[in-house]
């Protein structure tokens, strides 16, 4: 097989980079609908503290998860580069679909499931990068309380943790926030 630029691009993934404090995280850009500035959110009283609230996005009520609070227990700081990342979120009831190649398996398995827009609030949402699928590696460590933590990427600046979007919400919150 001849290696061409189009072959290389088709085997690589475009990732959106963001920070939670000083730690770098990434998610697949093909799941991103839009990146918007932080907006005033309607608080959902008695919801888990990592659910920042909801807002109206093009006549759709969109729940927003504060990734800083979810992952590190502190709210997202009000930086100029703090943003809400709107993503296509697939509702599914089978967590066994998410393996090391989560970005391929869940999309194929959930193609028939309804898609919702979910907001993810994060800091320093300013960059995208492209990585070959062979550059992703499995840590071998599974954290049951954080099933959304996926594979890792290593670059010159250190490690980047990838997020498994379909595992961000536990079943209870998924049912409440994203009705069928």
């Amino acid at each position: 097989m001849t290696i061409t630029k189009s072959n290389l691009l088709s085997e690589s993934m475009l990732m959106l980079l963001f920070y939670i404090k000083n730690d770098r995280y990434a998610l697949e850009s093909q799941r991103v609908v839009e990146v918007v500035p932080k907006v005033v959110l309607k608080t959902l009283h008695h919801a888990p503290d990592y659910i920042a609230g909801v807002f109206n996005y093009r006549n759709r009520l969109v729940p927003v998860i504060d990734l800083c609070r979810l992952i590190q227990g502190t709210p997202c700081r009000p930086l100029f580069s703090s943003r809400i990342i709107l993503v296509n979120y697939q509702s599914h009831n089978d967590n066994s679909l998410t393996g090391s190649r989560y970005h391929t398996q869940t999309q194929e398995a959930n193609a028939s499931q309804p898609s919702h827009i979910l907001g993810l609030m994060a800091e320093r949402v300013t960059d995208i990068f492209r990585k070959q699928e062979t550059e992703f590696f499995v840590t071998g460590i599974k954290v049951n309380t954080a099933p959304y933590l996926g594979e890792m990427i290593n670059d010159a600046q250190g490690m980047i943790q990838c997020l498994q979007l379909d595992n961000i919400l536990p079943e209870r919150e998924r049912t409440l926030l994203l009705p069928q």
Side-chain angles (χ1 to χ4, degrees), residues 39-57:
V39 297
V40 176
L41 300 172
K42 168 66 177 140
T43 302
L44 297 175
H45 298 287
H46 306 287
D49 61 354
Y50 62 85
I51 298 175
V54 295
F55 77 104
N56 182 343
Y57 172 74

Side-chain angles (χ1 to χ4, degrees), residues 94-152:
D94 185 0
N95 288 336
S96 66
L97 297 173
T98 54
S100 63
R101 282 289 127 213
Y102 64 90
H103 43 268
T104 303
Q105 290 178 352
T106 55
Q107 289 166 357
E108 291 171 3
N110 292 325
S112 63
Q113 298 291 330
S115 178
H116 299 277
I117 294 179
L118 179 66
L120 304 173
M121 188 185 311
E123 300 172 354
R124 295 166 41 193
V125 183
T126 59
D127 203 5
I128 57 172
F129 64 95
R130 190 173 292 280
K131 287 290 183 180
Q132 299 293 326
E133 286 202 35
T134 57
E135 296 179 76
F136 291 80
F137 61 92
V138 178
T139 63
I141 300 169
K142 182 177 179 175
V143 180
N144 290 334
T145 56
Y148 48 82
L149 296 177
E151 296 170 315
M152 301 287 274

Side-chain angles (χ1 to χ4, degrees), residues 15-29:
M15 306 293 289
L16 177 65
L17 181 70
F18 59 92
Y19 286 75
I20 298 175
K21 299 244 182 198
N22 292 322
D23 294 328
R24 296 183 305 155
Y25 292 84
L27 56 90
E28 285 182 273
S29 66

Side-chain angles (χ1 to χ4, degrees), residues 62-126:
V62 175
V64 176
I65 305 302
D66 184 335
L67 290 177
C68 298
R69 189 171 297 274
L70 175 68
I71 294 172
Q72 291 191 348
T74 58
C76 186
R77 296 177 293 178
L79 306 172
F80 284 120
S81 59
S82 294
R83 299 281 186 263
I84 297 174
I85 306 162
L86 299 174
V87 296
N88 279 319
Y89 183 85
Q90 297 294 126
S91 295
H92 66 84
N93 295 321
D94 185 0
N95 288 336
S96 66
L97 297 173
T98 54
S100 63
R101 282 289 127 213
Y102 64 90
H103 43 268
T104 303
Q105 290 178 352
T106 55
Q107 289 166 357
E108 291 171 3
N110 292 325
S112 63
Q113 298 291 330
S115 178
H116 299 277
I117 294 179
L118 179 66
L120 304 173
M121 188 185 311
E123 300 172 354
R124 295 166 41 193
V125 183
T126 59

